[in-house]
Amino acid sequence: MTIECKNLKTPYNTTLNRPILNGINCKICQGEFVALLGLNGAGKSTLLRALVGLVPLHSGEIRINDILLTPRTLPHIRRHIGLIFQGGGLVRQLSALDNVLCGRLGVLSPWQTLWGFSQSDRCMALELLAQLGLKEQAYQKTAQLSGGQQQRVAIARALIQSPQILLADEPIAGLDVMAAQQVMEIFAQLHRARGMTIITVLHDLEAASAYAERALILDAGCLVYDGACRDLPSKFTKLSQVSV
Ligand SMILES: Nc1ncnc2c1ncn2[C@@H]1O[C@H](COP(=O)(O)OP(=O)(O)O)[C@@H](O)[C@H]1O
Ligand SMILES: [Mg+2]
């Protein structure tokens, strides 16, 4: 699936004295692995959330596979996009399995959810957790899991709707080197084996150039670099290596 942003602008923000996103133009093709970089407050999370219709726009448009994102088309398009929120966005008191099942809520009709999750939903969730190395943790509360395990639960939750596009907001922030590598390897595998389009916010330039082909750098709501990760001019390395 291709993603196209044309002159994307959010409403004027009085605190910032400018729109949070200030005229973003970019096209991401099917199967690309893109790192979204930039200083804190640059607008990275806002851009990801805009792609799934969670941010009101002032002007411009978003097209997914040539379909214009509107309130009418959003529910259909949304099914194809998995979003991993900054910090994971898990319900800490629920088990890993129940958190993953929550990812099905957007796909099921309201009457289906009244009956609870089906056996096949549960099997699918358990299988995903097993694939991500969390078979033993399926019934544990997510609050009891390590940061790396929680992040993998968040990935499983995004994957249970079989998305074609995966958006991840700082998926390795706060993880130790091993756990971060595990998460990035999962993305690389999804990209290689399933041709999934991946856009991930990263702070770690090394991880970006090891895994992503392309970098988008945001600065104050504007796209200031769009090109190969490896060719990143040194003037931008400061913009992307930021403490969290
Ligand atoms: N809902 C909101 N209302 C007002 N300001 C917001 C909102 N969301 C984000 N912002 C502001 O917009 C800017 C960009 O935020 P964000 O997209 O979270 O940046 P990043 O993810 O790059 O750190 C920040 O200055 C933030 O404070
Ligand atoms: Mg953010």
Side-chain angles (χ1 to χ4, degrees), residues 13-197:
N13 181 300
T14 45
T15 317
L16 297 176
N17 282 329
R18 60 166 173 83
I20 299 174
L21 299 177
N22 204 356
I24 305 281
N25 285 291
C26 65
K27 184 173 180 180
I28 292 157
C29 295
Q30 162 70 41
E32 281 197 86
F33 194 144
V34 179
L36 184 55
L37 308 165
L39 292 169
N40 283 339
K44 305 179 295 295
S45 299
T46 306
L47 178 56
L48 283 196
R49 290 191 298 116
L51 295 179
V52 288
L54 293 175
V55 176
L57 297 180
H58 172 262
S59 57
E61 58 180 47
I62 298 170
R63 285 179 184 273
I64 311 281
N65 257 8
D66 269 342
I67 300 170
L68 185 66
L69 201 71
T70 64
R72 197 177 57 80
T73 60
L74 182 64
H76 171 72
I77 290 176
R78 185 67 185 82
R79 288 177 180 207
H80 300 290
I81 306 179
L83 175 62
I84 300 168
F85 288 93
Q86 192 162 353
L90 300 172
V91 185
R92 293 172 57 79
Q93 290 310 308
L94 288 183
S95 68
L97 178 63
D98 285 338
N99 267 288
V100 177
L101 283 167
C102 286
R104 289 286 293 161
L105 289 173
V107 181
L108 300 175
S109 61
W111 66 266
Q112 279 174 311
T113 52
L114 280 179
W115 293 104
F117 295 104
S118 67
Q119 194 56 30
S120 76
D121 283 338
R122 299 179 77 81
C123 285
M124 200 178 355
L126 283 169
E127 164 128 16
L128 269 171
L129 285 168
Q131 281 170 11
L132 296 174
L134 293 170
K135 196 174 170 195
E136 310 293 322
Q137 288 78 18
Y139 296 97
Q140 276 183 35
K141 275 187 190 168
T142 46
Q144 295 164 352
L145 304 181
S146 72
Q149 288 170 332
Q150 290 187 18
Q151 203 50 251
R152 280 180 281 148
V153 174
I155 295 173
R157 188 180 57 180
L159 292 182
I160 198 166
Q161 53 171 347
S162 305
Q164 297 183 39
I165 298 171
L166 188 63
L167 308 176
D169 200 351
E170 303 199 20
I172 59 171
L175 300 188
D176 63 43
V177 178
M178 282 291 289
Q181 203 176 346
Q182 243 176 354
V183 166
M184 291 311 294
E185 284 297 333
I186 292 166
F187 289 166
Q189 173 69 12
L190 290 167
H191 176 241
R192 269 196 310 266
R194 296 203 209 163
M196 203 177 272
T197 309

